[in-house]
Amino acid sequence: MQQNNGLDKSQIISFAVLCLVLFGFMFYFQRNSAEEEKVKAEQQKTEQAKKAVTPTPAANINPNVTPNSIQVSNLANNELKLEFSSLGGQVSKVELLKYKAYDHKTDKADLPLNLITKNNSSYGFQFKDKTGKIVNTKNLVFSPVVNGNVATLTANYNGATIQFIYTLNNNPKAELKDQYTLDFKVRTQGLSNVTSDNKADFIWDYQVRNLEKGRAQEQSHSEFSYAFNNYKDYDYDGRTTMEEDKETLNWIGVKQQFFSSVIESKAGFTQSKGNQEAIEEGEYLKKLNFEGFVAMNGGEFNQDFTWYFMPLDLPLLKSYDKNFDEILPLGWSFIGAMNRYFFMWLYSIIAGWGISAGWVIFLMTIIVKLILSPIMYKQHKLSAMMKVIRPEIDEANAKFKDADPMKKQQATMEIYRKAGVNQMAGCLPALVQIPIFYALFRFFPNFIDLRGQGFWFAKDLTAYDDLIKLPFKIPFLGDHLSVFALACTVVILIYTVMTSGNMQQPQQEGMPNMKVIMYIFPITFLFFLNTSASGLSWYYFVSNAINILIILVIKYVILDEKKIHAQIQANKEKPKAEGKFQKRMREMMEKAQEQQKTQEQQRNKKK
């Protein structure tokens, strides 16, 4: 956050806009009671839809099925370890071998990273037999046979044979993208004698497991993601009921903070819908339910699918050429491009030098500051110019204290014009900071290269540090204090004190004291940063510390107030052409004055 010495009105407005944006971030991503009520209301609206896709319980079709009778078969390669259950012929366990999950008991990332385990994922194909009975393959018992890298699971229903054929590439020399891919074929024989349906209803129930340290952050990043229009278009849904009844989905996935489970249909899913429900505590973060139809030809169901269980690593996602890279929430348009082509690139270049992640962020901050230094120089030069003409502004305010506010504003603008001060220049630094802040807000908690990277007392730069644990919970703050967030808040306070000393206070009665607002802002920023990625707090600590140094260097080394005063006096001597903006402002004020005079004359005539 960057502030000026002697902020003018336009700067105050731009600062207020920035505050509103940042406040919006804080309240949007913090769990509060209002949001909970909203989620509950949405759950009630979708309750009927959820009941409509509830499958027939397994016991009704296979009353003899017990946990001990369920068989498990396995496939594995360098990246994935998979288990398949004979009940439903489903993938019942998915472990990503190169990654670890966070253990809240030990405060370490040392658990096996299982995207699927303990029945948190359940899927099947649902249809009606000719008697009208609903059948879901998730309730059928399959017989498993494993041959090399192929697992074939076969079930029988009223004389019809249903086969699920899973193939995992276990060639150690295969491309990385192929090792996170599970080929899934469905083949039937005799199903046309059992059902007259022309489509099967794919139903997938998924509970997102808590794998990361920052629960609230991971929960906010857990959502549906899907592609349509022949993989060209992408959409996501994290908070509402999903309705895609007109599009054919190429793939549907459940995205978590750093990993995703995706199923692709070669024929596509039609009439898709889904809903989700947040889980407030425990092992799981969200419940997601999806339903979409897949075509059956002549009563037989022979379709090809592909499962992807993959980390959200941008080069890996792009290698599939299926629009998977959109799953990574780096921001829209310019924001996303800034992350993809600048911040990620810059991080990779510096990390290649072999230094730790924390020092990579430190050097990134310095580079960004160097790039923005011309803007900062102009900002502080404007601040110095405003300080020099402050006596004239105060004199004008005193002179027109009891006059029409329009006259006071006109007098102030005339002083700016004669001094050669461009008021709008004060908005630029604040406007530049907004997209950078939002890009970094997206970058730090979603960049998988930072996952598990510690720095000083932060064990993971994509999550908060909780060196200071509290014996109770504070609303919006939680049960801890982040040292990085505290340090960042202190530095912002120091920077605010240094830059607000020459701020001109509003003369009108009832206007808020801007100094007080500026001091309150860093405190509110603490609530935002306390549960955010510690990498973000570290970046802004370094950024604001550099800001303080820059102010001192500019003030005592670069800028000379005497020279600035002389330049302003020289500007006053030169004839000034009225700019378009100034001309419009003057004309607007003159028009407003004329209208005001007309209204006063009309009121006097009525009297």
Side-chain angles (χ1 to χ4, degrees):
M1 303 286 300
Q2 319 254 331
Q3 308 296 338
N4 284 334
N5 287 325
L7 294 182
D8 64 306
K9 187 176 180 180
S10 62
Q11 289 173 292
I12 292 173
I13 292 172
S14 62
F15 176 78
V17 171
L18 180 58
C19 287
L20 288 174
V21 172
L22 296 180
F23 286 165
F25 290 157
M26 180 183 75
F27 287 108
Y28 182 77
F29 289 101
Q30 297 295 329
R31 297 182 330 216
N32 52 50
S33 58
E35 181 64 32
E36 292 173 359
E37 290 301 320
K38 182 180 177 182
V39 171
K40 289 179 181 178
E42 290 171 354
Q43 292 168 12
Q44 291 175 356
K45 290 180 182 178
T46 58
E47 190 66 31
Q48 187 175 0
K50 286 193 288 184
K51 290 179 181 178
V53 299
T54 301
T56 306
N60 292 347
I61 297 177
N62 297 291
N64 297 323
V65 172
T66 63
N68 292 332
S69 66
I70 298 174
Q71 300 180 58
V72 174
S73 48
N74 300 275
L75 291 177
N77 61 17
N78 288 341
E79 305 297 335
L80 296 177
K81 181 179 179 181
L82 307 176
E83 287 186 1
F84 304 90
S85 172
S86 61
L87 178 59
Q90 308 171 66
V91 178
S92 55
K93 188 173 182 179
V94 175
E95 180 182 351
L96 275 70
L97 299 174
K98 298 292 178 65
Y99 297 90
K100 294 294 182 181
Y102 178 76
D103 187 347
H104 290 269
K105 295 179 180 178
T106 63
D107 194 27
K108 295 179 180 179
D110 55 5
L111 293 176
L113 198 149
N114 294 313
L115 289 180
I116 296 175
T117 189
K118 301 179 183 178
N119 300 315
N120 71 307
S121 174
S122 177
Y123 61 88
F125 300 92
Q126 185 169 281
F127 55 88
K128 286 183 181 180
D129 66 13
K130 291 186 177 180
T131 67
K133 184 178 181 180
I134 295 176
V135 180
N136 194 315
T137 60
K138 70 167 66 175
N139 301 316
L140 300 177
V141 176
F142 288 70
S143 299
V145 175
V146 176
N147 184 11
N149 65 329
V150 180
T152 303
L153 293 96
T154 307
N156 293 287
Y157 180 76
N158 288 353
T161 300
I162 303 172
Q163 275 193 337
F164 288 173
I165 305 168
Y166 296 97
T167 305
L168 180 68
N169 193 322
N170 59 3
N171 183 352
K173 295 183 180 180
E175 289 186 58
L176 187 61
K177 67 175 184 176
D178 296 328
Q179 300 200 46
Y180 288 112
T181 301
L182 177 66
D183 186 63
F184 174 33
K185 299 183 187 303
V186 180
R187 298 290 183 264
T188 67
Q189 286 185 343
L191 192 61
S192 58
N193 298 324
V194 175
T195 180
S196 56
D197 283 352
N198 60 4
K199 59 184 177 181
D201 191 358
F202 175 70
I203 298 174
W204 184 21
D205 302 320
Y206 193 98
Q207 294 188 82
V208 178
R209 302 187 70 243
N210 186 192
L211 304 175
E212 313 299 332
K213 182 175 183 177
R215 180 185 180 86
Q217 185 170 249
E218 186 181 11
Q219 187 182 61
S220 70
H221 284 87
S222 299
E223 58 197 9
F224 281 122
S225 57
Y226 51 95
F228 52 95
N229 190 21
N230 195 26
Y231 303 92
K232 295 177 183 177
D233 295 321
Y234 168 84
D235 208 345
Y236 68 96
D237 197 301
R239 295 180 178 271
T240 62
T241 301
M242 189 193 78
E243 297 283 349
E244 288 291 354
D245 54 344
K246 296 181 180 180
E247 301 291 349
T248 298
L249 305 192
N250 303 114
W251 53 261
I252 175 74
V254 176
K255 170 201 166 297
Q256 296 178 229
Q257 187 173 356
F258 293 108
F259 305 94
S260 188
S261 302
V262 175
I263 183 168
E264 174 192 17
S265 171
K266 301 301 187 290
F269 298 106
T270 59
Q271 296 176 275
S272 299
K273 62 181 179 180
N275 53 70
Q276 49 201 304
E277 175 185 348
I279 302 173
E280 295 309 313
E281 58 183 18
E283 185 178 355
Y284 302 103
L285 303 171
K286 268 187 179 181
K287 295 179 182 178
L288 297 101
N289 311 101
F290 172 78
E291 176 185 7
F293 290 93
V294 186
M296 297 172 64
N297 297 318
E300 295 296 335
F301 187 29
N302 298 302
Q303 293 288 358
D304 294 345
F305 303 86
T306 306
W307 280 104
Y308 302 89
F309 304 105
M310 53 192 175
L312 298 182
D313 177 72
L314 186 59
L316 173 67
L317 298 175
K318 292 181 72 172
S319 68
Y320 289 102
D321 196 26
K322 296 181 183 292
N323 221 3
F324 286 157
D325 54 304
E326 292 288 352
I327 300 176
L328 200 56
L330 297 175
W332 295 100
S333 188
F334 173 69
I335 302 297
M338 194 186 307
N339 276 324
R340 290 167 184 261
Y341 303 114
F342 179 69
F343 284 116
M344 284 187 169
W345 168 81
L346 184 60
Y347 182 93
S348 299
I349 292 294
I350 302 174
W353 301 346
I355 59 178
S356 67
W359 293 116
V360 172
I361 295 172
F362 178 84
L363 293 177
M364 283 177 62
T365 313
I366 293 176
I367 292 171
V368 171
K369 284 297 175 186
L370 288 174
I371 294 172
L372 296 178
S373 58
I375 296 175
M376 289 194 65
Y377 174 76
K378 290 182 179 180
Q379 177 187 16
H380 289 289
K381 183 177 180 180
L382 173 65
S383 177
M385 294 175 74
M386 292 292 294
K387 182 180 178 182
V388 171
I389 65 172
R390 178 60 45 76
E392 296 181 48
I393 299 292
D394 293 340
E395 184 179 342
N397 287 331
K399 182 178 179 180
F400 294 97
K401 182 177 182 181
D402 299 322
D404 188 336
M406 292 268 186
K407 291 183 178 180
K408 184 191 294 185
Q409 186 66 23
Q410 283 179 325
T412 303
M413 290 182 64
E414 184 64 17
I415 294 171
Y416 289 146
R417 189 181 70 82
K418 288 183 177 180
V421 175
N422 182 3
Q423 293 172 272
M424 299 304 294
C427 298
L428 182 60
L431 292 175
V432 169
Q433 291 298 311
I434 291 175
I436 291 176
F437 175 87
Y438 189 65
L440 291 170
F441 174 79
R442 287 289 189 178
F443 173 79
F444 284 107
N446 292 295
F447 188 38
I448 198 168
D449 288 14
L450 282 171
R451 184 181 185 269
Q453 297 293 322
F455 184 63
W456 290 344
F457 34 77
K459 296 182 179 179
D460 187 342
L461 287 168
T462 64
Y464 58 83
D465 70 90
D466 56 355
L467 186 65
I468 304 174
K469 299 183 186 294
L470 302 175
F472 47 82
K473 284 189 175 182
I474 300 175
F476 304 113
L477 201 63
D479 57 359
H480 70 278
L481 285 175
S482 165
V483 176
F484 273 129
L486 282 171
C488 185
T489 301
V490 170
V491 172
I492 294 175
L493 274 171
I494 295 172
Y495 180 67
T496 302
V497 170
M498 293 179 66
T499 56
S500 64
N502 298 313
M503 180 183 295
Q504 181 180 0
Q505 295 305 311
Q507 302 295 319
Q508 295 87 350
E509 293 184 5
M511 291 293 288
N513 188 320
M514 292 306 299
K515 284 187 179 181
V516 174
I517 293 177
M518 289 180 67
Y519 293 146
I520 291 174
F521 175 74
I523 305 301
T524 60
F525 209 57
L526 171 64
F527 286 82
F528 170 75
L529 290 174
N530 197 57
T531 54
S532 298
S534 53
L536 181 66
S537 300
W538 169 235
Y539 178 95
Y540 273 97
F541 170 81
V542 176
S543 177
N544 284 280
I546 293 174
N547 285 345
I548 292 172
L549 292 175
I550 289 175
I551 289 175
L552 294 175
V553 171
I554 290 176
K555 183 176 181 179
Y556 295 107
V557 179
I558 298 176
L559 292 181
D560 186 333
E561 288 189 6
K562 292 182 179 179
K563 289 183 179 180
I564 291 175
H565 185 271
Q567 179 185 340
I568 289 175
Q569 297 306 316
N571 289 340
K572 290 180 179 179
E573 298 296 328
K574 298 177 182 177
K576 288 287 181 181
E578 190 175 35
K580 291 182 180 180
F581 174 77
Q582 292 170 323
K583 183 179 180 181
R584 287 179 184 175
M585 290 294 293
R586 178 180 56 77
E587 290 174 349
M588 289 172 59
M589 288 182 181
E590 289 174 353
K591 188 176 181 180
Q593 283 180 326
E594 290 176 2
Q595 290 176 349
Q596 188 175 4
K597 286 179 181 179
T598 303
Q599 291 173 356
E600 288 178 357
Q601 289 174 356
Q602 290 176 351
R603 284 196 295 266
N604 291 333
K605 287 180 180 180
K606 290 180 180 180
K607 291 180 181 179

